[in-house]
Every structure is written in structure tokens, then in C-alpha cells.
Amino acid sequence: IDTFRIAWEIDQLYNDNTVLPHKLKVGIAGCATSCSKPRLNDIGLIGVSAPHIDIENCDGCALCIDECKIKAIKIQNNIAVIEKQRCIDCGDCARVCLTSAITPIDSGVDLYAGGRWGRNKQVGIRIARFLTEADAIATVDQIKDWYRKNSEKGERLGEVILRKNIKVFQKNVLQNIKIEKWVDITPAT
């Protein structure tokens, strides 16, 4: 994703005189490695690229294994296999595949909300996957508006989301996003 352009557009469109109950930080990362820590901001946007392996084109060269920093790929029967539960959708494996056996099956922006750093740390919750850049930018405005309408003075976005209910928040801020892009949020048990 074009992180500079997204940040510029968000700044130009939404950095206005709207009075909010507290600060609202947006973090953007170009890939799933997330070096800029977007999950620790009120709103986090992360570029992702989910890989798919065409077993007919894979020659078992293992370049993808060397490139995968989290060890989510193994060679079985001379074919690369991705462990989906480990894969973070960074897309590095597809970039090094010389035979084009690994290609992105889906790519875009994952959207996180409710994160924060400081005294009371909280990791943001992923609420949508594989958004277009335009949808991600527009949803920042939806979140800002929801936050303004639903929060109390001094309350951060994550606190409001937990107080109001994450699924209610998701339904309100993603109303213009196709439902198949929504992440199923299940409370931890």
C-alpha cells in the first residue's frame, strides 16, 4: 500500500477543527510486519497480502522458506506449504518466488481499532480485512465521527469501544463496507 499517500489523504481530509473528547491517533504500516506499531494506535491500518501456492509451478527451491521470517512455510514432497495459522500475510514469499508459484490471493488494508500505548496499554482489534485504500481512508472518518458521538470527555477510542460493545462499533463504522470484509469478532473465553 502507499502509506505516504494514505497518511497525506487522512491528514488533509480529517485533520480539522472537530472537537474530540481526547486525542485520536492513526498508525499506518505498509506491510504486516508493522514496524510503525499501528495496532497500538486508536486506528491502525496495515497493508497485507495473503499468499497462495500454485503447486503446479512450485519447484521446491525453498527461497520462500529463507524469506519467511516467522517460519510459516515448509517444504513437503518438494512443494512449498503455507501454515495459514502462522502466516501474517506480509507477502514476502511471493516477492521472492522465481517461478511465480506464490502469488497474492488477496491484498489490501487490514483495519484495527482501539489500540493505545502509555499507562494503560491495549492492542487494537482487527475489525476488517483486505479493504481498498479508499475504503480504509473513508472508514477513518466513520470511526472519528462515531468516536465523537459516543465518547465522554477524556475517554480514548478503545475505552469507548469496550464500553459500547465491539460488535456495535463494528456495525456502525463499517456500514459502507461489504460484509465479507468484516472480521468475525468472538470474545475471548
Side-chain angles (χ1 to χ4, degrees):
I1 65 172
D2 186 345
T3 57
F4 182 80
R5 187 185 58 75
I6 292 171
W8 178 261
E9 283 192 41
I10 289 171
D11 186 59
Q12 296 300 303
L13 292 169
Y14 311 126
N15 191 6
D16 54 23
N17 293 328
T18 303
V19 176
L20 296 173
H22 206 295
K23 60 187 161 189
L24 184 69
K25 295 181 175 183
V26 179
I28 304 169
C31 74
T33 304
S34 301
C35 296
S36 61
K37 302 174 188 65
R39 291 181 187 99
L40 297 176
N41 285 275
D42 298 287
I43 302 169
L45 306 174
I46 301 173
V48 290
S49 182
H52 168 74
I53 298 177
D54 178 353
I55 60 173
E56 298 298 319
N57 289 336
C58 182
D59 63 6
C61 72
L63 283 173
C64 53
I65 291 176
D66 295 336
E67 187 65 23
C68 183
K69 306 297 186 262
I70 59 162
K71 310 294 182 219
I73 305 175
K74 299 192 181 329
I75 298 291
Q76 294 177 348
N77 298 323
N78 208 35
I79 302 288
V81 176
I82 298 171
E83 293 181 43
K84 295 290 185 191
Q85 65 278 12
R86 292 187 61 131
C87 180
I88 61 170
D89 297 331
C90 66
D92 289 346
C93 56
R95 280 190 284 284
V96 300
C97 184
L98 299 177
T99 64
S100 299
I102 303 177
T103 56
I105 195 166
D106 210 346
S107 61
V109 180
D110 278 4
L111 174 63
Y112 290 78
R116 68 184 285 181
W117 195 245
R119 290 183 191 108
N120 299 309
K121 295 163 186 59
Q122 182 173 311
V123 176
I125 300 166
R126 184 169 52 195
I127 62 169
R129 294 218 70 198
F130 304 116
L131 298 179
T132 65
E133 291 180 15
D135 282 346
I137 292 167
T139 304
V140 169
D141 188 44
Q142 294 290 322
I143 293 171
K144 179 182 173 185
D145 189 54
W146 184 90
Y147 176 53
R148 182 183 55 76
K149 291 176 180 174
N150 290 281
S151 58
E152 298 169 3
K153 185 171 172 56
E155 195 173 35
R156 293 290 295 271
L157 178 64
E159 295 169 305
V160 185
I161 291 170
L162 293 175
R163 179 171 53 80
K164 289 287 192 174
N165 182 304
I166 183 67
K167 289 189 179 196
V168 169
F169 167 77
Q170 184 184 41
K171 182 179 179 183
N172 280 270
V173 302
L174 298 180
Q175 57 190 319
N176 298 322
I177 304 297
K178 293 178 186 174
I179 193 91
E180 58 266 17
K181 301 288 185 177
W182 296 24
V183 171
D184 183 30
I185 299 171
T186 307
T189 54

